[in-house]
mmCIF file of all heavy atoms in Angstrom:
data_model
loop_
_atom_site.group_PDB
_atom_site.id
_atom_site.type_symbol
_atom_site.label_atom_id
_atom_site.label_comp_id
_atom_site.label_asym_id
_atom_site.label_seq_id
_atom_site.Cartn_x
_atom_site.Cartn_y
_atom_site.Cartn_z
ATOM 1 N N ILE A 1436 -19.725 -12.293 -16.978
ATOM 2 C CA ILE A 1436 -18.409 -12.787 -17.063
ATOM 3 C C ILE A 1436 -18.245 -14.160 -17.841
ATOM 4 O O ILE A 1436 -19.085 -14.932 -17.812
ATOM 5 C CB ILE A 1436 -17.901 -13.015 -15.492
ATOM 6 C CG1 ILE A 1436 -16.366 -13.048 -15.492
ATOM 7 C CG2 ILE A 1436 -18.527 -14.341 -14.871
ATOM 8 C CD1 ILE A 1436 -15.849 -12.910 -14.110
ATOM 9 N N GLU A 1441 -14.436 -16.921 -15.113
ATOM 10 C CA GLU A 1441 -15.214 -17.412 -13.817
ATOM 11 C C GLU A 1441 -14.397 -18.623 -13.231
ATOM 12 O O GLU A 1441 -14.212 -18.565 -12.058
ATOM 13 C CB GLU A 1441 -16.691 -17.797 -14.228
ATOM 14 C CG GLU A 1441 -17.263 -18.245 -12.999
ATOM 15 C CD GLU A 1441 -18.718 -18.973 -13.381
ATOM 16 O OE1 GLU A 1441 -18.670 -20.201 -13.592
ATOM 17 O OE2 GLU A 1441 -19.665 -18.144 -13.439
ATOM 18 N N LYS A 1449 -10.259 -20.498 -4.259
ATOM 19 C CA LYS A 1449 -9.659 -21.733 -3.499
ATOM 20 C C LYS A 1449 -8.409 -21.457 -2.815
ATOM 21 O O LYS A 1449 -8.044 -21.796 -1.756
ATOM 22 C CB LYS A 1449 -9.612 -22.981 -4.419
ATOM 23 C CG LYS A 1449 -9.038 -24.189 -3.804
ATOM 24 C CD LYS A 1449 -8.916 -25.275 -4.922
ATOM 25 C CE LYS A 1449 -8.251 -26.514 -4.248
ATOM 26 N NZ LYS A 1449 -8.050 -27.644 -5.295
ATOM 27 N N SER A 1454 -4.966 -20.242 1.684
ATOM 28 C CA SER A 1454 -3.905 -19.325 2.475
ATOM 29 C C SER A 1454 -4.486 -18.909 3.848
ATOM 30 O O SER A 1454 -3.672 -18.940 4.774
ATOM 31 C CB SER A 1454 -3.866 -17.911 1.681
ATOM 32 O OG SER A 1454 -3.527 -18.162 0.408
ATOM 33 N N ARG A 1456 -6.529 -20.639 5.778
ATOM 34 C CA ARG A 1456 -6.342 -21.941 6.521
ATOM 35 C C ARG A 1456 -4.941 -22.161 6.988
ATOM 36 O O ARG A 1456 -4.604 -22.616 8.114
ATOM 37 C CB ARG A 1456 -6.877 -23.021 5.857
ATOM 38 C CG ARG A 1456 -8.521 -23.087 5.987
ATOM 39 C CD ARG A 1456 -9.058 -24.228 5.157
ATOM 40 N NE ARG A 1456 -8.516 -25.464 5.564
ATOM 41 C CZ ARG A 1456 -9.127 -26.420 6.233
ATOM 42 N NH1 ARG A 1456 -10.260 -26.128 6.901
ATOM 43 N NH2 ARG A 1456 -8.663 -27.599 6.405
ATOM 44 N N CYS A 1465 2.153 -21.284 16.536
ATOM 45 C CA CYS A 1465 2.869 -20.094 17.182
ATOM 46 C C CYS A 1465 2.371 -19.916 18.670
ATOM 47 O O CYS A 1465 3.067 -19.787 19.517
ATOM 48 C CB CYS A 1465 2.790 -18.793 16.434
ATOM 49 S SG CYS A 1465 3.730 -18.783 14.946
ATOM 50 N N PRO A 1471 3.428 -15.614 21.200
ATOM 51 C CA PRO A 1471 2.055 -15.101 21.141
ATOM 52 C C PRO A 1471 1.960 -13.951 20.114
ATOM 53 O O PRO A 1471 0.876 -13.730 19.433
ATOM 54 C CB PRO A 1471 1.789 -14.549 22.554
ATOM 55 C CG PRO A 1471 3.160 -14.526 23.116
ATOM 56 C CD PRO A 1471 3.899 -15.589 22.410
ATOM 57 N N PHE A 1476 -0.182 -11.883 14.810
ATOM 58 C CA PHE A 1476 0.096 -11.437 13.431
ATOM 59 C C PHE A 1476 -0.513 -12.450 12.385
ATOM 60 O O PHE A 1476 -1.161 -11.925 11.549
ATOM 61 C CB PHE A 1476 1.553 -11.385 13.332
ATOM 62 C CG PHE A 1476 1.985 -11.026 11.953
ATOM 63 C CD1 PHE A 1476 2.127 -9.546 11.637
ATOM 64 C CD2 PHE A 1476 2.316 -11.854 10.795
ATOM 65 C CE1 PHE A 1476 2.556 -9.145 10.345
ATOM 66 C CE2 PHE A 1476 2.734 -11.347 9.733
ATOM 67 C CZ PHE A 1476 2.841 -10.079 9.293
ATOM 68 N N GLU A 1483 -7.279 -11.569 6.802
ATOM 69 C CA GLU A 1483 -7.009 -10.884 5.494
ATOM 70 C C GLU A 1483 -7.204 -11.778 4.365
ATOM 71 O O GLU A 1483 -7.687 -11.310 3.314
ATOM 72 C CB GLU A 1483 -5.634 -10.249 5.573
ATOM 73 C CG GLU A 1483 -5.455 -9.108 6.493
ATOM 74 C CD GLU A 1483 -6.424 -8.052 6.455
ATOM 75 O OE1 GLU A 1483 -6.839 -7.617 5.240
ATOM 76 O OE2 GLU A 1483 -6.834 -7.510 7.440
ATOM 77 N N GLU A 1484 -6.580 -12.989 4.402
ATOM 78 C CA GLU A 1484 -6.723 -13.902 3.292
ATOM 79 C C GLU A 1484 -8.271 -14.209 3.087
ATOM 80 O O GLU A 1484 -8.655 -14.347 1.932
ATOM 81 C CB GLU A 1484 -5.998 -15.093 3.423
ATOM 82 C CG GLU A 1484 -4.386 -14.900 3.523
ATOM 83 C CD GLU A 1484 -3.866 -14.248 2.389
ATOM 84 O OE1 GLU A 1484 -4.549 -14.170 1.326
ATOM 85 O OE2 GLU A 1484 -2.741 -13.717 2.463
ATOM 86 N N LEU A 1489 -13.277 -13.388 -0.092
ATOM 87 C CA LEU A 1489 -14.511 -12.813 -0.230
ATOM 88 C C LEU A 1489 -14.782 -11.780 -1.331
ATOM 89 O O LEU A 1489 -15.640 -11.762 -1.995
ATOM 90 C CB LEU A 1489 -14.901 -12.284 1.229
ATOM 91 C CG LEU A 1489 -16.350 -12.336 1.643
ATOM 92 C CD1 LEU A 1489 -16.937 -13.760 1.521
ATOM 93 C CD2 LEU A 1489 -16.487 -11.732 3.036
ATOM 94 N N LEU A 1504 -17.085 -23.040 -4.283
ATOM 95 C CA LEU A 1504 -16.011 -23.403 -3.385
ATOM 96 C C LEU A 1504 -15.507 -24.892 -3.702
ATOM 97 O O LEU A 1504 -16.383 -25.515 -4.263
ATOM 98 C CB LEU A 1504 -16.551 -23.405 -1.868
ATOM 99 C CG LEU A 1504 -17.090 -22.106 -1.408
ATOM 100 C CD1 LEU A 1504 -17.516 -22.214 0.001
ATOM 101 C CD2 LEU A 1504 -16.069 -21.072 -1.459
ATOM 102 N N LEU A 1507 -10.524 -28.656 -0.017
ATOM 103 C CA LEU A 1507 -9.206 -28.287 0.298
ATOM 104 C C LEU A 1507 -8.559 -29.354 1.121
ATOM 105 O O LEU A 1507 -9.222 -30.059 1.926
ATOM 106 C CB LEU A 1507 -9.253 -27.030 1.183
ATOM 107 C CG LEU A 1507 -9.742 -25.734 0.572
ATOM 108 C CD1 LEU A 1507 -9.913 -24.602 1.664
ATOM 109 C CD2 LEU A 1507 -8.680 -25.242 -0.423
ATOM 110 N N GLU A 1526 7.401 -18.371 0.861
ATOM 111 C CA GLU A 1526 7.336 -19.277 -0.348
ATOM 112 C C GLU A 1526 5.776 -19.377 -0.854
ATOM 113 O O GLU A 1526 5.617 -19.334 -2.003
ATOM 114 C CB GLU A 1526 7.714 -20.757 0.166
ATOM 115 C CG GLU A 1526 7.863 -21.616 -0.942
ATOM 116 C CD GLU A 1526 8.094 -23.089 -0.501
ATOM 117 O OE1 GLU A 1526 8.770 -23.172 0.640
ATOM 118 O OE2 GLU A 1526 7.735 -23.928 -1.105
ATOM 119 N N GLU A 1528 3.546 -16.986 -0.390
ATOM 120 C CA GLU A 1528 3.128 -15.633 -0.989
ATOM 121 C C GLU A 1528 3.604 -15.468 -2.505
ATOM 122 O O GLU A 1528 3.054 -14.930 -3.282
ATOM 123 C CB GLU A 1528 3.545 -14.526 -0.059
ATOM 124 C CG GLU A 1528 2.713 -14.242 1.161
ATOM 125 C CD GLU A 1528 1.188 -14.025 0.831
ATOM 126 O OE1 GLU A 1528 0.886 -13.456 -0.173
ATOM 127 O OE2 GLU A 1528 0.370 -14.598 1.662
ATOM 128 N N THR A 1532 1.499 -14.868 -5.689
ATOM 129 C CA THR A 1532 1.839 -13.825 -6.580
ATOM 130 C C THR A 1532 1.851 -14.444 -8.099
ATOM 131 O O THR A 1532 1.194 -13.871 -8.953
ATOM 132 C CB THR A 1532 3.271 -13.133 -6.445
ATOM 133 O OG1 THR A 1532 3.157 -12.569 -5.148
ATOM 134 C CG2 THR A 1532 3.620 -12.099 -7.478
ATOM 135 N N GLY A 1551 -9.389 -7.608 -15.483
ATOM 136 C CA GLY A 1551 -7.983 -7.307 -15.387
ATOM 137 C C GLY A 1551 -7.664 -6.024 -14.483
ATOM 138 O O GLY A 1551 -6.863 -6.025 -13.683
ATOM 139 N N PHE A 1553 -9.800 -4.986 -12.067
ATOM 140 C CA PHE A 1553 -10.144 -5.381 -10.739
ATOM 141 C C PHE A 1553 -8.964 -6.128 -10.197
ATOM 142 O O PHE A 1553 -8.641 -5.908 -8.888
ATOM 143 C CB PHE A 1553 -11.291 -6.357 -10.791
ATOM 144 C CG PHE A 1553 -11.601 -7.088 -9.542
ATOM 145 C CD1 PHE A 1553 -12.173 -6.583 -8.521
ATOM 146 C CD2 PHE A 1553 -11.177 -8.539 -9.561
ATOM 147 C CE1 PHE A 1553 -12.406 -7.246 -7.336
ATOM 148 C CE2 PHE A 1553 -11.462 -9.125 -8.364
ATOM 149 C CZ PHE A 1553 -12.007 -8.563 -7.223
#
Side-chain angles (χ1 to χ4, degrees):
I1436 201 164
E1441 178 192 90
K1449 176 186 179 181
S1454 304
R1456 280 169 58 95
C1465 288
F1476 179 86
E1483 291 305 324
E1484 297 302 343
L1489 214 50
L1504 301 182
L1507 292 170
E1526 192 184 327
E1528 286 303 327
T1532 298
F1553 165 76

